[in-house]
Amino acid sequence: MAYPNSRGYYGSYGGRFVPETLMPLLLELQAVYRKIRKDKRFWREWRSLLQEYAGRPTPLYFASNLSKALGNNLKVYLKREDLLHTGAHKLNNTIGQVLLAKKMNKSRVIAETGAGQHGVATATACALLGLKCVVYMGAKDVERQALNVFRMKLLGAEVHPVTSGTQTLKDAINEALRDWVTNVRDTFYVIGSVVGPHPYPLMVRDFQSIIGKETRSQIMKREGRLPHYVIACVGGGSNAMGIFYPFSRFREVQLIGVEAAGLGLDTDHHSATLNRGEPGVLHGMLTYLLQDKVGQIKGAHSIAPGLDYPGVGPEHAYFKDTKRAQYVAVNDKEALEGFKLLSEAEGIIPALESAHAVAYLIKIAPTLPKDSLVVINLSGRGDKDVAQVKDILEGEKKH
Amino acid sequence: MPGAKHIEERIRDFGKRGKVAIIPYITAFDPHRRATLEFLKYIAEAEPVLIELGFPFSDPIADGPTIQKAIVRALENRPTFEDYLQLVLSFKELFREIPLVCMTYYNILYRFGLERVVREAKKAGLDGFIIPDLPIEEADPWLKVNARSGLATVFLIAPTSTDDRVAKIARLSSGFLYYVSLTGITGAREVLPEGLDARLKVLKNLSSIPLAVGFGISKPDHVTLLKPHCDALVIGSALVQIIEREGPSAGPSLYKFLLSLKHESSNR
């Protein structure tokens, strides 16, 4: 049985919980996308842009130093999404969706962004394909990520700071949805993760699955076998779903999603939605959420701004309940260790998000069977985080 | 006898007697519980056809800045849905005849438990629900639980709704139909969208239950213009602005504002 069903459900998660104003538009989008999904020309155009413009396929790199450092005769491969244009996996999706917007004759694109990576990737795709771009970003994030704001402006996008609610990603999504409700006829909303109302989780999965497809053929070529473990960080969950999905029908491959435990799972400062959340409805979908007893959504925290989201893609909720994937969490401190180790061992500075996946492997390496073959999705590069990490590490020394 | 039938009859009765049917909206617990009960009493004195009482949700995607701010003020009291139903009960003990409809987002009800919502709402004397992020496609679980309760479920119709959707929505709604006058979020507007009266005429013929219109209505002019084409008018942000300005003592101003809408529009 292929998921989602026609109403956008993955088991009991997903759906389309949006105001009536948007419903006709979502139905239209679903109908258009159903056709596009079978349109070879569309996918050829998308693939050729990713190859010639963005640098696909990305390498699957055998990290021999890291493998040695972890011991136990492990073989660790890194899927190098950090080498994709703009420095993260986000562009796979934004080029796809902006191309789709163009096919639907929409003149204006809106997007939300937390850390700024999806905003930059959307602004990039809009510059490339010639569409007007407006990015909503929490006022607090605008301040914390000033360089990404400038990047988006350089790329010709308008950045709108959002001052409502917690002034972070979830409020930026609320504001983008409000814009969409208002400008529904000429505007396409480019969602950055496998979240939101159907068909977004499906579309984003389709565009990001290129990560897993490449990985599978690359590892078969190199090793002649499938990996025992595939590890990826999970915020909304797009890089994880991108690498998990093509492996999900191979039962022998263990899929591990790593959430952000922030200051600790027993504090109120984490983003571990699948570990500590409960089902509810937010941003158009039924999924696990960080919420209180009444149903008010809680703020999320992580050292990695891209994991800082109180919801998660509905298909991950489904994978959790069916036990197809295992969801674990590492805290801010552990993530920093991962960040440092990969930088020193391999000369690769990972994004703090991706460092969570590395950190989890460090944690479990001693317990893994000897000779295990592991793939980590290195979803982004760490340049954006260097200043923040510098402040933290130098702050530690002073104390 | 609370519920959908009561709402429909009361709106019709207002129509027959040529009374302007206003549906005031305020957010419960803005700025606190006691103030809300006071506001409701003043509003009741202005003889509204029914009252829409919002329960605040942290992520109100259908609401504009005015109501967002009200929700932030309300959430500072950390209200529970039980507190809300208590408030409903206190109001209903004083004004049995005025229908009270809850407007809130689906997660609040989902979290409380749909069956429990219906059971407790009936006990408190609530008459129905408006759930702006629950489109008909997702409404089955709610409608099933609600099938024999007699409580109203008011779905929204938007300018983007196609004719076949309008027919389906009209079939599934009870109490009244809520037409969102514009593509956008809640909030007072200077000018209402063009062609609104024509659209309302069409909608009125499509449905057997009363038709209310809302989003953006804030002036006597608006009321005068729309009154002939619908059965009731929802006034939200304009009232919430008064509460924002005057705080817990806003009651008399809410009353005066509602009266001015009714009188000025019926004098023209």
Side-chain angles (χ1 to χ4, degrees), chain A residues 7 9 12 14-24 27 164-165 170-171 173-175 177-179 181-185 278-284 286 289 291-298, chain B residues 55-64 68 72 75 78-81 106-112 132-138 140 156-162 165 169 180 182-185 189:
Chain A
R7 291 167 54 242
Y9 276 87
S12 49
R16 290 167 291 206
F17 295 85
V18 295
E20 170 62 19
T21 311
L22 292 180
M23 250 342 270
L27 293 171
S164 57
K170 85 175 171 69
D171 309 285
I173 297 179
N174 293 339
E175 208 53 41
L177 283 167
R178 290 179 189 119
D179 177 312
V181 170
T182 308
N183 301 298
V184 62
R185 290 184 176 99
E278 283 178 76
V281 173
L282 177 71
H283 296 151
L286 204 169
L289 303 173
Q291 56 181 326
D292 68 13
K293 279 203 181 105
V294 180
Q296 309 297 354
I297 306 305
K298 287 190 194 170
Chain B
F55 181 81
F57 175 53
S58 54
D59 293 79
I61 54 170
D63 284 303
Q68 284 176 45
V72 170
L75 285 177
R78 308 188 62 80
T80 64
F81 199 65
Y106 193 51
N107 195 50
I108 299 294
L109 307 179
Y110 185 86
R111 188 84 173 132
F112 195 75
D133 60 344
L134 190 71
I136 49 172
E137 278 79 0
E138 301 292 350
D140 274 359
L156 287 87
I157 294 177
T160 49
S161 306
T162 51
R165 286 188 69 76
I169 294 170
V180 175
L182 38 87
T183 54
I185 50 184
R189 309 289 204 281

Side-chain angles (χ1 to χ4, degrees), chain A residues 100-246:
Chain A
L100 184 58
K102 222 176 155 172
K103 301 271 178 245
M104 291 178 75
N105 293 317
K106 305 283 180 184
S107 57
R108 180 175 177 268
V109 159
I110 57 170
E112 84 294 336
T113 197
Q117 294 306 107
H118 173 61
V120 168
T122 306
T124 302
C126 285
L128 174 68
L129 296 166
L131 274 81
K132 185 173 154 35
C133 178
V134 173
V135 179
Y136 288 94
M137 190 169 183
K140 275 189 196 157
D141 291 330
V142 167
E143 213 172 282
R144 286 191 288 213
Q145 306 285 337
L147 269 181
N148 269 342
V149 173
F150 183 65
R151 254 177 220 130
M152 287 183 260
K153 287 181 180 165
L154 269 181
L155 293 162
E158 263 176 52
V159 179
H160 291 198
V162 175
T163 53
S164 57
T166 57
Q167 309 191 9
T168 58
L169 177 62
K170 85 175 171 69
D171 309 285
I173 297 179
N174 293 339
E175 208 53 41
L177 283 167
R178 290 179 189 119
D179 177 312
W180 201 24
V181 170
T182 308
N183 301 298
V184 62
R185 290 184 176 99
D186 69 342
T187 296
F188 190 100
Y189 181 14
V190 173
I191 293 185
S193 191
V194 283
V195 300
H198 180 62
Y200 279 96
L202 170 66
M203 292 196 303
V204 179
R205 182 186 84 190
D206 284 348
F207 292 131
Q208 294 295 1
S209 286
I210 194 165
I211 304 172
K213 283 182 197 155
E214 283 178 11
T215 304
R216 188 160 81 84
S217 77
Q218 287 165 322
I219 197 92
M220 288 307 290
K221 227 174 253 164
R222 293 287 296 271
E223 295 286 336
R225 56 177 174 154
L226 291 171
H228 299 103
Y229 303 93
V230 174
I231 307 178
C233 64
V234 178
S238 72
N239 90 81
M241 193 48 70
I243 197 162
F244 286 178
Y245 187 71

Side-chain angles (χ1 to χ4, degrees), chain B residues 2-268:
Chain B
K5 284 275 163 309
H6 177 44
I7 294 173
E8 287 169 31
E9 276 163 23
R10 187 165 156 101
I11 297 178
R12 290 236 162 74
D13 183 56
F14 268 55
K16 264 183 232 149
R17 293 197 277 154
K19 295 204 291 194
V20 186
I22 302 275
I23 304 178
Y25 164 92
I26 60 170
T27 303
F29 308 99
D30 165 28
H32 51 64
R33 181 185 190 282
R34 205 158 21 89
T36 302
L37 193 55
E38 277 301 299
F39 296 162
L40 289 174
K41 287 182 202 166
Y42 277 102
I43 288 171
E45 294 300 331
E47 228 200 327
V49 68
L50 60 103
I51 298 175
E52 207 186 294
L53 184 62
F55 181 81
F57 175 53
S58 54
D59 293 79
I61 54 170
D63 284 303
T66 303
I67 293 178
Q68 284 176 45
K69 277 186 270 174
I71 286 173
V72 170
R73 293 192 295 271
L75 285 177
E76 276 166 23
N77 301 296
R78 308 188 62 80
T80 64
F81 199 65
E82 286 98 329
D83 296 336
Y84 175 87
L85 292 173
Q86 270 300 319
L87 192 58
V88 170
L89 191 66
S90 308
F91 174 77
K92 278 289 183 164
E93 279 168 358
L94 300 170
F95 299 92
R96 185 164 299 279
E97 74 288 359
I98 301 178
L100 203 61
V101 172
C102 170
M103 143 117 186
T104 194
Y105 289 79
Y106 193 51
N107 195 50
I108 299 294
L109 307 179
Y110 185 86
R111 188 84 173 132
F112 195 75
L114 301 186
E115 282 172 29
R116 194 170 153 225
V117 166
V118 171
R119 201 170 55 234
E120 300 296 320
K122 280 203 68 121
K123 255 192 241 164
L126 199 65
D127 294 276
F129 287 87
I130 302 172
I131 314 165
D133 60 344
L134 190 71
I136 49 172
E137 278 79 0
E138 301 292 350
D140 274 359
W142 169 255
L143 290 174
K144 227 174 258 165
V145 164
N146 228 325
R148 271 188 294 270
S149 74
L151 294 176
T153 299
V154 177
F155 287 101
L156 287 87
I157 294 177
T160 49
S161 306
T162 51
D163 289 349
D164 62 319
R165 286 188 69 76
V166 169
K168 267 188 227 158
I169 294 170
R171 212 166 45 235
L172 293 173
S173 292
S174 51
F176 62 96
L177 265 181
Y178 190 145
Y179 182 65
V180 175
S181 67
L182 38 87
T183 54
I185 50 184
T186 60
R189 309 289 204 281
E190 281 299 312
V191 187
L192 293 174
E194 247 172 74
L196 179 57
D197 45 351
R199 172 85 171 161
L200 289 176
K201 253 180 235 163
V202 174
L203 289 175
K204 224 173 152 177
N205 288 333
L206 273 171
S207 164
S208 57
I209 58 174
L211 176 66
V213 55
F215 282 38
I217 303 169
S218 59
K219 295 173 168 212
D221 276 357
H222 298 163
V223 178
T224 312
L225 178 76
L226 292 174
K227 201 177 59 172
H229 307 296
C230 63
D231 302 302
L233 297 130
V234 183
I235 313 285
S237 297
L239 294 171
V240 174
Q241 270 167 3
I242 295 174
I243 296 173
E244 182 179 345
R245 223 168 30 233
E246 301 186 13
S249 57
S253 300
L254 296 175
Y255 172 74
K256 268 183 237 154
F257 179 74
L258 287 171
L259 279 199
S260 76
L261 282 186
K262 282 167 82 165
H263 289 157
E264 286 180 44
S265 63
S266 54
N267 289 343
R268 281 177 211 189

